[in-house]
Amino acid sequence: MIFKSKWHSGFLLFCSSFFPLLPIHAQISGYDVAFPSAYLLGLSSQGVVSTHAMGSIYGNTAFLSFQNKHILDVSSSGSYANPNLSPVYISGAGYVSFSESFGFGFRGKPVYLRSFPSDERYSNYAFQAFANWKLNPYISFALHLGPGVSGRLGGYSSYSWNVSLSTAIQYEQFRLGVLLESPGSYRYDQFLGSERLNEKLPERVLLGLGYKWNEWLEFQLEGSRKFYERTSVRLNESNQYIPYAVRTMYSGNFSIAVGKIESIQLLTGVGREIRMDRTLRGFYTASIGIVGSLFPSWFGEGYFYALSVQRAGLSVPEREGAETRMAFQLQFQF
C-alpha cells in the first residue's frame, strides 16, 4: 500500500508538470485570415495585387495612386455553418486623392477571424491611417499604421499597433504587388472571466502578380507566407510554443475577373488558406461574386456594389470547420 501510494503520488506529480499547457489547447480557439470586403471575397484574395479600389482600399492601397478619385466605402460580411450564423463583421474606409502623386485615407477592417466550430468566437480588427506616394508612372508605395484590438471570451484585449508597408508596380498590362504586415501583440486581463492571456499574432508577407488580357478579362495570382513560428501564447504566465513545419505556412490563390465593372463584372477565385490551431491546417476555398455600377441612370456614375459568396473548407464537414461566407459592399467615388 505504501509503494502504491508513492507510485500514485509520483505519477500525479509528473502529470501536473504538463497541466499549464492543457488549458491553452482546450480553451483558446484558432483563427483564419479575414477577407475584409465583398470584392476580395469574390476573388478569394487578400488584395495585394487588386487594382480596383473596391479591393485595393482594404489590401494594397499603393494601387490607389494610379487613380485620382476620392473614395468612401463600406462592406459587411458574415458566415454560416449549419445551424449557426456568425456575427456581422463591418469594414469601412475613406480615401482622399490629394494630388497626382500623393493620397491619404483611413480604414477599419478585420485581419483575423474565427466563428466556427468552437463556441468561442475570435475577431482581430485594425483601424489604420494610411498614405501612398507615387514615385513615377510605374511604381507607388504605401504605409498603413493604427491601433488593433482583438475579442475573445471575456471581452476585448488591450490595443496594439498594426503596421504594414506595400508596393505597387504597373507596366503596360502587367502589375506586381508586395505587402508586409505586422498585426501586433494583445493582452486579455479577464479571458474566460479570470484568466490572463497574452498572444502575438503572426506577421505575414504577400506577393501578387496580375495580368490584364483585354478590357474584359483579368487574371491574378497571389502567394503569402505567415510567420507562425513567431507567434506566442501565454496563459497565466505559462508559455506555449509549437514547432510548426515551415512548409505549412504558405498559402495563395488564383482569381479571374470577367467583364467591365462600369456595367457588370463576374469574379471568381480558388485558394488555399491556413487555419491557426493546435496544428496548422490547410483548407481550400472557392468563391464567386458580381460587381457593377449601382443604377447609373438614377444615381449617376461613381456608385458601385459587390455581392459575393465563398465556400471555405471544400470537402470538409462543417463540424470540422467548413463554412459558407457572404459579403456585400458599397463604394462611392467622386
Side-chain angles (χ1 to χ4, degrees):
M1 294 296 293
I2 296 176
F3 176 80
K4 186 176 181 180
S5 177
K6 290 182 178 180
W7 185 87
H8 275 289
S9 299
F11 179 76
L12 292 174
L13 181 63
F14 175 79
C15 291
S16 67
S17 65
F18 295 95
F19 181 76
L21 297 181
L22 295 179
I24 297 180
H25 290 301
Q27 297 172 0
I28 302 174
S29 69
Y31 45 81
D32 306 330
V33 173
F35 296 89
S37 78
Y39 187 89
L40 296 179
L41 185 73
L43 295 171
S44 283
S45 164
Q46 293 299 309
V48 65
V49 74
S50 295
T51 55
H52 195 274
M54 297 188 83
S56 57
I57 200 167
Y58 295 110
N60 186 351
T61 64
F63 279 106
L64 295 176
S65 298
F66 297 105
Q67 59 89 51
N68 57 2
K69 299 286 189 180
H70 308 308
I71 298 167
L72 289 175
D73 188 285
V74 63
S75 184
S76 63
S77 64
S79 55
Y80 173 79
N82 188 33
N84 299 313
L85 287 170
S86 76
V88 175
Y89 303 106
I90 304 294
S91 301
Y95 175 74
V96 175
S97 180
F98 188 76
S99 69
E100 291 186 357
S101 60
F102 179 76
F104 60 90
F106 65 91
R107 64 185 182 183
K109 65 168 188 171
V111 180
Y112 290 101
L113 293 174
R114 188 74 187 108
S115 295
F116 308 109
S118 172
D119 291 334
E120 183 198 351
R121 297 184 177 180
Y122 174 78
S123 61
N124 171 250
Y125 265 79
F127 303 91
Q128 298 174 319
F130 64 86
N132 49 37
W133 172 59
K134 187 164 63 173
L135 177 65
N136 57 45
Y138 309 106
I139 304 174
S140 180
F141 302 95
L143 174 66
H144 321 84
L145 176 65
V149 65
S150 297
R152 285 192 180 277
L153 283 178
Y156 292 96
S157 69
S158 61
Y159 80 89
S160 183
W161 291 108
N162 180 302
V163 58
S164 56
L165 177 67
S166 63
T167 302
I169 301 174
Q170 282 198 160
Y171 181 74
E172 294 183 349
Q173 306 304 315
F174 291 92
R175 61 186 187 269
L176 176 71
V178 181
L179 176 65
L180 313 175
E181 181 179 31
S182 177
S185 302
Y186 299 88
R187 185 188 75 250
Y188 306 82
D189 292 328
Q190 293 185 330
F191 175 64
L192 295 178
S194 60
E195 311 289 331
R196 289 182 175 270
L197 173 66
N198 294 267
E199 67 177 338
K200 181 181 183 296
L201 297 179
E203 294 90 0
R204 56 178 177 166
V205 176
L206 299 99
L207 176 66
L209 179 66
Y211 180 71
K212 188 173 184 178
W213 183 271
N214 54 41
E215 292 297 321
W216 295 85
L217 186 61
E218 292 187 44
F219 305 95
Q220 69 178 46
L221 180 67
E222 293 181 358
S224 68
R225 161 76 153 92
K226 285 100 174 164
F227 292 85
Y228 287 109
E229 72 270 32
R230 294 170 57 86
T231 61
S232 63
V233 176
R234 199 162 100 179
L235 182 66
N236 294 333
E237 307 305 320
S238 297
N239 292 314
Q240 177 193 39
Y241 172 74
I242 301 176
Y244 299 118
V246 172
R247 62 179 173 78
T248 64
M249 302 182 192
Y250 293 91
S251 59
N253 66 278
F254 175 72
S255 310
I256 302 175
V258 182
K260 289 187 176 182
I261 201 167
E262 291 76 15
S263 53
I264 191 167
Q265 187 176 59
L266 176 67
L267 309 176
T268 185
V270 293
R272 183 178 187 272
E273 278 300 333
I274 303 298
R275 175 164 300 158
M276 172 67 175
D277 214 324
R278 284 175 289 177
T279 60
L280 295 180
R281 294 190 294 158
F283 63 96
Y284 293 91
T285 64
S287 57
I288 190 170
I290 57 171
V291 189
S293 185
L294 187 65
F295 302 116
S297 60
W298 293 2
F299 302 127
E301 297 180 354
Y303 294 84
F304 299 96
Y305 71 91
L307 179 64
S308 301
V309 178
Q310 181 193 72
R311 181 64 178 177
L314 299 177
S315 303
V316 176
E318 290 186 345
R319 65 178 179 274
E320 296 180 14
E323 61 188 82
T324 299
R325 298 166 178 162
M326 302 146 287
F328 178 70
Q329 182 178 3
L330 288 174
Q331 185 171 105
F332 177 37
Q333 300 181 6
F334 57 99

